[in-house]
Amino acid sequence: MSKQRINIVWLKRDLRTQDHLPFFYAELAAVDYIPIFVFEPSMMNRMDCSKRHLQFIYHSILEMNVTLQEMKREVIIFHAEATEVFSYLTKNYDIDTVYSYQESGVRATWERDKEVTKLLNENGSKWQQFQRDGIVRGIKNRDAWDKQWYAHAYEPIIENNFSPQRFDFSNPFPLHEELKSEFSKYPDVFQKPGELLAWKYLTSFCEERGKDYSFKISKPLESRRSCSRISPYLAWGNISIKQAYQFVKHHPNFVNHKRSFNGFLTRLKWHCHFIQKFEVECDYETRSVNRGYESMPYINDPEMIEAWKNGTTGLPLVDACMRCLKQTGWINFRMRAMLVSVLTHHFDCDWKAGVTHLAQLFLDYEPGIHYTQFQMQAGTTGINTIRIYNPIKQSKDHDPDGIFIKKWVDELRNVPSAFIHEPWIMTEIDKSFIDLKTDYPPPIIDITQSGKTAREKLWGFRKNKEVKTDGMRIVQTHTRNNRSKRTI
Ligand SMILES: Cc1cc2nc3c(=O)[nH]c(=O)nc-3n(C[C@H](O)[C@H](O)[C@H](O)COP(=O)(O)OP(=O)(O)OC[C@H]3O[C@@H](n4cnc5c(N)ncnc54)[C@H](O)[C@@H]3O)c2cc1C
């Protein structure tokens, strides 16, 4: 019996039903298709993956299926390695074309894609991969990138329509019940996944929340409301960059909040700028952006790393940020940068000691942004200004009354604002006036001293010959050639 001829839409970080090129082309084709998502055990077991990511993905798909159900379609969820899935599909079906977006992921996904390509080629099947969010594959420098990116941002939004599926498909690799039930329990404290919620966040940002975006962006408490909070939706593709860009650019409130909205639009470009770096050099996952920093010595004290991870450093803002992140999956940019700075500069630990910890906690984990941003803050690019954040100063500047700190570090609930940034300076008499819990640790280091040591070490290492040479290569590859106009 001849095999059923089919096409496939392979969903990755594009979990939406609109502005979707693979769906668009699959619907145009004469051959019918199935949309699939593959939960790959090897990816699920990686150190940068966590249950919250898998739950976000799972619920995004469930929501897509509610929409698609009306059109008698369904995203089929596989639980197996992608190579196993495609071996099965090529054996049992005559696959004409696989449609997907290009994945600018870690090396493991790149290698997996090479194996899938081989499998498909051997079976005479095509794989059409589309550019995602204006990120370009195979470029050698950034000379034309900005112009191309803006051209992409203004391209018309794709309106997707769906026809009913014309053949039955039985899933040989379903998610087993245990995993299904684990994925189903989505914690209330996290942002809810899916296209609908993505639009809800973006709309409320434009209508109300975003008016003070620029002023509150660095405040750990206020930014929770004034920032767009669309990062998890962009990271998992519940909304495309183009959709977000055009919606904000054309929103009636744009003229009223130009500074804030332009700041937001610039960041959408940064989003792609960082992923573009990773697309070109995904080894940033495992090695320093600037190879010269691979030989930088660190103390890497395991106790300090654990205290940082657990939010028990004795530095109130650092602990509040880490505990908040654990609970909610989000903190603002400035606090992310501060956490990295404390680990890598003040605690003198290798960026590799903390990078997957934060990846697991961020609901919006996007490898292209995460590894490059983490290293930028750790000072291992060799081309960016080195910023050593003092967590006490950050605390005084951005949480002056300690409201954010007290919300997340219960031990400090009764500490007066005057001492909340440095509770260790309280005298016994000060303490006797308040009902102070005693189980909050003293600071694990002297921040003034550690900042000074880090500054000397980092600026000293910048003079290293290998750092300088690789810095030149990085500028050539990842920035516009005109140095005066250099992007970050
Ligand atoms: C160490 C570190 C790790 C980070 N890891 C991630 C990550 O894994 N995923 C992620 O989406 N962002 C990451 N960021 C960038 C930034 O902190 C988040 O994008 C932002 O806080 C998300 O909140 P928002 O959606 O309200 O952002 P907004 O300020 O409302 O910005 C809108 C969008 O622009 C993009 N964006 C904003 N700031 C940046 C930036 N500095 N660099 C690149 N893109 C930006 C995001 O997609 C964001 O959703 C990281 C930053 C640091 C310092």
Side-chain angles (χ1 to χ4, degrees):
M1 209 173 78
S2 70
K3 294 192 271 190
Q4 162 102 39
R5 196 165 177 74
I6 63 166
N7 286 340
I8 288 167
V9 170
W10 184 7
L11 298 168
K12 294 176 167 192
R13 283 176 175 258
D14 50 330
L15 303 174
R16 63 178 179 277
T17 59
Q18 291 300 313
D19 199 35
H20 200 283
L21 270 174
F23 272 131
F24 183 79
Y25 278 95
E27 282 287 339
L28 279 186
V31 178
D32 200 9
Y33 71 98
I34 47 167
I36 66 168
F37 184 88
V38 189
F39 279 103
E40 298 159 277
S42 57
M43 301 298 163
M44 291 159 72
N45 290 332
R46 282 175 49 89
M47 287 302 289
D48 57 356
C49 180
S50 63
K51 190 158 101 182
R52 61 185 67 179
H53 302 153
L54 301 172
Q55 288 173 321
F56 195 96
I57 295 170
Y58 182 67
H59 285 272
S60 298
I61 298 171
L62 292 190
E63 197 215 51
M64 285 178 80
N65 279 344
V66 172
T67 310
L68 294 176
Q69 209 174 28
E70 288 172 26
M71 275 74 83
K72 302 210 165 22
R73 290 226 173 250
E74 183 190 5
V75 178
I76 295 156
I77 301 175
F78 293 125
H79 180 215
E81 295 304 328
T83 43
E84 281 178 77
V85 169
F86 282 98
S87 292
Y88 171 86
L89 290 171
T90 48
K91 235 177 244 142
N92 292 279
Y93 292 87
D94 175 8
I95 300 177
D96 183 272
T97 309
V98 176
Y99 300 100
S100 79
Y101 279 108
Q102 286 168 351
E103 183 169 0
S104 306
V106 293
R107 178 153 296 280
T109 61
W110 177 249
E111 296 299 336
R112 171 259 273 146
D113 281 357
K114 282 204 282 195
E115 283 183 52
V116 172
T117 305
K118 192 164 163 266
L119 247 165
L120 292 171
N121 283 345
E122 283 165 4
N123 285 279
S125 311
K126 300 180 281 292
W127 185 1
Q128 194 169 351
Q129 297 187 57
F130 301 96
Q131 258 182 27
R132 180 176 74 125
D133 293 332
I135 293 142
V136 192
R137 185 150 282 180
I139 54 170
K140 297 272 179 281
N141 60 50
R142 287 296 189 92
D143 292 350
W145 192 83
D146 277 34
K147 218 170 146 198
Q148 282 172 20
W149 188 85
Y150 279 112
H152 169 79
Y154 283 106
E155 272 171 20
I157 304 290
I158 296 153
E159 196 184 317
N160 289 98
N161 293 301
F162 296 89
S163 60
Q165 192 172 304
R166 301 188 293 274
F167 64 98
D168 290 330
F169 182 86
S170 156
N171 184 354
F173 309 107
L175 269 182
H176 52 79
E177 287 309 316
E178 215 175 291
L179 264 188
K180 246 193 217 170
S181 108
E182 211 176 301
F183 289 175
S184 297
K185 295 178 204 131
Y186 192 80
D188 277 344
V189 281
F190 295 155
Q191 289 176 252
K192 305 258 174 309
E195 253 173 314
L196 275 178
L197 262 293
W199 283 104
K200 213 170 163 179
Y201 272 88
L202 196 58
T203 306
S204 66
F205 175 76
C206 289
E207 285 179 354
E208 167 61 25
R209 293 187 298 109
K211 63 180 189 303
D212 296 327
Y213 174 73
S214 304
F215 308 108
K216 296 182 173 167
I217 194 164
S218 297
K219 315 255 172 249
L221 186 70
E222 291 90 331
S223 62
R224 301 187 77 76
R225 198 179 140 71
S226 64
C227 274
S228 73
R229 308 290 305 269
I230 64 160
S231 52
Y233 307 110
L234 286 172
W236 303 107
N238 292 162
I239 191 167
S240 70
I241 285 283
K242 183 160 39 106
Q243 285 175 308
Y245 192 93
Q246 293 185 18
F247 185 79
V248 175
K249 183 83 195 176
H250 300 137
H251 195 277
N253 268 344
F254 189 85
V255 287
N256 302 325
H257 310 308
K258 259 194 181 157
R259 181 173 167 197
S260 283
F261 285 17
N262 272 327
F264 168 88
L265 293 178
T266 303
R267 282 171 178 79
L268 291 185
K269 183 156 154 270
W270 291 1
H271 173 113
C272 302
H273 164 76
F274 282 98
I275 300 177
Q276 181 67 61
K277 288 188 193 207
F278 204 64
E279 166 62 40
V280 173
E281 289 188 87
C282 69
D283 287 351
Y284 292 168
E285 174 199 358
T286 48
R287 69 150 172 92
S288 298
V289 167
N290 186 310
R291 288 186 179 87
Y293 285 94
E294 283 296 279
S295 57
M296 180 135 113
Y298 297 97
I299 292 175
N300 280 333
D301 180 336
E303 263 181 47
M304 285 203 177
I305 298 172
E306 274 316 291
W308 180 81
K309 287 184 178 172
N310 295 328
T312 52
T313 63
L315 300 161
L317 187 62
V318 175
D319 294 342
C321 285
M322 192 60 91
R323 294 182 196 187
C324 168
L325 187 53
K326 274 192 181 172
Q327 285 277 318
T328 69
W330 191 88
I331 46 164
N332 60 328
F333 172 80
R334 174 67 67 109
M335 295 301 118
R336 295 184 195 207
M338 182 202 66
L339 282 181
V340 175
S341 185
V342 166
L343 177 77
T344 58
H345 302 146
H346 293 283
F347 291 3
D348 198 10
C349 295
D350 194 339
W351 62 269
K352 291 165 196 158
V355 74
T356 55
H357 179 74
L358 290 194
Q360 286 189 8
L361 296 182
F362 291 160
L363 195 58
D364 59 25
Y365 168 56
E366 164 65 68
I369 302 177
H370 188 68
Y371 286 102
T372 44
Q373 270 289 358
F374 203 109
Q375 290 211 48
M376 199 164 114
Q377 304 308 330
T380 53
T381 65
I383 61 160
N384 303 103
T385 306
I386 298 170
R387 288 204 176 87
I388 301 174
Y389 289 93
N390 178 328
I392 301 166
K393 182 177 183 311
Q394 293 300 313
S395 187
K396 289 178 179 167
D397 289 352
H398 299 300
D399 187 27
D401 299 322
I403 300 171
F404 178 78
I405 292 175
K406 290 182 186 187
K407 182 169 167 59
W408 295 104
V409 184
D410 193 48
E411 302 96 297
L412 300 177
R413 197 176 10 151
N414 296 328
V415 173
S417 302
F419 297 114
I420 194 69
H421 314 288
E422 299 165 280
W424 56 88
I425 62 173
M426 275 191 289
T427 61
E428 286 311 312
I429 299 175
D430 294 329
K431 287 181 199 168
S432 68
F433 288 120
I434 49 173
D435 171 22
L436 187 67
K437 291 194 180 181
T438 51
D439 50 355
Y440 189 67
I444 202 162
I445 44 154
D446 174 343
I447 277 291
T448 313
Q449 184 52 46
S450 61
K452 194 167 168 278
T453 312
R455 210 158 289 119
E456 280 162 15
K457 178 185 169 189
L458 281 163
W459 285 110
F461 209 81
R462 259 210 176 175
K463 297 186 189 121
N464 179 314
K465 194 165 166 251
E466 210 188 334
V467 168
K468 282 187 175 168
T469 314
D470 211 38
M472 270 149 48
R473 181 194 63 79
I474 293 164
V475 169
Q476 286 299 323
T477 316
H478 295 296
T479 66
R480 276 180 280 161
N481 260 343
N482 181 348
R483 273 192 129 221
S484 61
K485 283 202 268 166
R486 205 168 80 199
T487 50
I488 46 169

